[in-house]
Amino acid sequence: MTAASTPSFVGGISEEWLPDEPAYVRYWKDVPGQLGAKREVVPLGVFRKRAHAQRKAREWLDQRGVNSTQRFNEATSTTTFKQQGEWWLVSLAQRKRNPLEQTTIDNRQYALDKWIYPFLGERHLGEVNNRALKELVERMAETLSASSVRDYANIVKAIVASAIDENGEQLFPRTWNEEFIDAPLIAEQNQPSTTSEGMTQILEKATGQYLVLYALLAGCGPLRAGEALGLEIDKHISPDCQTLYIRQKAKRGLIQPYLKTKAGEREVDLGSALASMLRNFVGNRKDGFLFHTSTGAQLLQTNTLRISLHPILEQLEHVKGGFNIFRRYRITHLQKKDCPVALRHFWSGHASAHVSERYTKLRDEREYRLEWAERVGLGFELPPSIGQLGQLRIVPKVA
């Protein structure tokens, strides 16, 4: 913190204006790590009038930010970056204007805990500037993709900007220098997908519940993987197995009773062939997860990729990808079959693209939806048999 006095220190000690003597500006400057402040005296030159010297003193002080409100805030603030970050996360859900869904907040919490807090968390908020962000970006770029580096850097900027005064003005305004920060540029993003032939080949190689999972992801909805793995037989499947009620998702071993967006809570309909496969898979089970481990626990996405999908793609010399290859395939298939836009958005869990879609109540038009599910079909061939995994006995956990 620095504070300046009126430039009246003239000719060594005199308060009388002496036009032939040098004028000085006098101010107090805090010294880091010490109590109190140190007096600074700076020569300005010779001025015929006091007013001229005062104007020069003000210019000198302004150029160096001696009386800057921003410098005062940065020097006196004791708020750490992590403290401001936690407040910011809470505000994202509570704000009236465009509150974020819990899934998005969870993703930002993960980025903060994993990458940002270990590097910036204990620094005072006023210390988070271009230099600090550049150092963080350099560290993240060693491991993360360019898009992740960009997204996480934007989180840092948002947290610094979220510190405001009672008038809504930023306490720590920043002019972020992208050239100096030097975050990696995002090249054309790789978005692997598959084709009708590719889907048929994947299902020929898949077995048991993995076969059913991939068929559902590519043959209805489209579903997200977490939504499919969160399905419970007694809660989310209609008696005729032609409609799935998407109300929750599975992620990292936990069931999250919310979805990526508000539009994600929806009903997804199956054509007759896929519904028949699902009925056969469910068998005589009455409850529990549709897809599960041998103990009845949630099936993890990472394990499924490692054990089943990635080895299949490698064997087929198929472009490597995650579960999104099925979602992209299904969206493309619906477009090719001229499925109504409003219905595509409804099944996909996307927000309405046009205000008129808000007045289209597809949730109440199941017969219409089932008709279109049959009309668009799958676009790929289902294997004749899926085995009997759906009827296997679940081994109870040993306490």
Side-chain angles (χ1 to χ4, degrees):
M1 174 182 68
T2 54
S5 65
T6 301
S8 59
F9 186 77
V10 180
I13 57 174
S14 175
E15 291 299 328
E16 178 186 357
W17 190 256
L18 302 175
D20 297 324
E21 297 291 333
Y24 301 82
V25 61
R26 178 176 59 199
Y27 65 97
W28 296 92
K29 181 179 181 180
D30 285 342
V31 180
Q34 297 183 18
L35 295 176
K38 176 183 177 182
R39 188 171 69 174
E40 298 280 342
V41 180
V42 179
L44 297 174
V46 177
F47 299 88
R48 293 186 60 190
K49 294 183 178 181
R50 184 188 298 272
H52 296 165
Q54 290 176 334
R55 183 165 58 250
K56 179 65 176 179
R58 283 193 293 271
E59 292 174 356
W60 189 93
L61 295 170
D62 289 343
Q63 289 172 359
R64 289 154 181 80
V66 172
N67 280 338
S68 165
T69 300
Q70 180 179 343
R71 285 202 177 188
F72 177 85
N73 290 335
E74 293 182 5
T76 59
S77 174
T78 59
T79 302
T80 66
F81 181 85
K82 184 174 183 178
Q83 289 172 333
Q84 186 67 26
E86 293 304 294
W87 176 89
W88 174 73
L89 281 174
V90 172
S91 72
L92 295 179
Q94 294 181 345
R95 65 191 185 189
K96 297 182 180 67
R97 183 176 179 271
N98 191 29
L100 294 186
E101 296 298 323
Q102 188 61 45
T103 295
T104 303
I105 295 173
D106 289 344
N107 291 337
R108 295 185 180 183
Q109 181 76 71
Y110 169 80
L112 286 165
D113 292 339
K114 176 71 174 179
W115 295 100
I116 302 175
Y117 284 159
F119 191 77
L120 298 177
E122 299 308 314
R123 298 195 193 190
H124 288 159
L125 196 58
E127 298 173 344
V128 181
N129 50 26
N130 279 284
R131 167 62 65 181
L133 185 53
K134 177 181 178 65
E135 293 170 353
L136 173 63
V137 163
E138 289 174 348
R139 176 171 294 191
M140 293 191 298
E142 296 175 357
T143 306
L144 298 175
S145 67
S147 60
S148 294
V149 172
R150 175 204 60 188
D151 293 343
Y152 296 174
N154 285 339
I155 291 176
V156 173
K157 296 175 185 179
I159 290 174
V160 174
S162 70
I164 58 177
D165 61 18
E166 64 275 10
N167 297 316
E169 302 295 335
Q170 291 186 25
L171 292 175
F172 308 106
R174 294 284 185 266
T175 301
W176 298 106
N177 187 333
E178 302 302 335
E179 289 295 326
F180 178 77
I181 295 170
D182 196 25
L185 295 176
I186 301 175
E188 183 177 351
Q189 289 185 286
N190 180 33
Q191 295 187 328
S193 184
T194 190
T195 62
S196 296
E197 181 182 2
M199 271 306 308
T200 300
Q201 292 175 342
I202 290 171
L203 295 182
E204 287 175 350
K205 297 291 184 182
T207 58
Q209 64 179 339
Y210 301 121
L211 189 160
V212 181
L213 173 62
Y214 305 155
L216 279 181
L217 291 175
C220 71
L223 291 171
R224 297 178 176 91
E227 296 169 346
L229 296 180
L231 291 171
E232 296 182 62
I233 293 172
D234 57 330
K235 299 177 182 177
H236 307 127
I237 302 176
S238 66
D240 61 3
C241 288
Q242 283 200 269
T243 300
L244 306 177
Y245 308 114
I246 311 304
R247 302 292 184 265
Q248 63 185 26
K249 59 186 173 67
K251 190 169 185 179
R252 301 191 185 102
L254 299 174
I255 288 296
Q256 298 177 340
Y258 48 83
L259 298 162
K260 186 174 182 180
T261 64
K262 290 182 179 179
E265 185 173 323
R266 64 200 190 280
E267 296 176 6
V268 171
D269 303 290
L270 285 62
S272 58
L274 193 57
S276 177
M277 170 182 272
L278 182 59
R279 280 194 297 272
N280 183 28
F281 177 64
V282 171
N284 58 9
R285 289 185 291 162
K286 302 299 181 182
D287 54 22
F289 289 117
L290 178 62
F291 304 104
H292 58 80
T293 68
S294 60
T295 64
Q298 177 195 134
L299 193 66
L300 298 181
Q301 294 188 36
T302 52
N303 290 347
T304 302
L305 291 173
R306 176 175 54 83
I307 295 172
S308 175
L309 182 58
H310 284 168
I312 289 174
L313 297 181
E314 184 176 357
Q315 184 179 359
L316 294 174
E317 298 183 350
H318 188 289
V319 60
K320 189 174 181 179
F323 296 114
N324 273 342
I325 66 172
F326 303 122
R327 183 172 173 84
R328 295 186 185 111
Y329 165 80
R330 185 60 178 176
I331 290 175
T332 302
H333 181 71
L334 292 178
Q335 291 173 334
K336 288 166 59 177
K337 292 297 183 178
D338 294 325
C339 180
V341 174
L343 184 54
R344 293 206 313 258
H345 288 165
F346 178 78
W347 276 339
S348 303
H350 290 160
S352 301
H354 191 274
V355 66
S356 63
E357 291 184 27
R358 301 176 190 173
Y359 296 94
T360 305
K361 303 303 180 182
L362 290 172
R363 192 181 296 272
D364 302 326
E365 298 291 337
R366 184 171 186 257
E367 292 303 319
Y368 168 80
R369 298 188 332 247
L370 290 174
E371 178 184 339
W372 267 103
E374 198 68 32
R375 186 183 304 181
V376 298
L378 300 175
F380 55 83
E381 296 294 326
L382 291 173
S385 173
I386 65 167
Q388 298 298 314
L389 186 136
Q391 282 128 86
L392 287 181
R393 180 176 62 88
I394 296 175
V395 179
K397 292 183 178 180
V398 179

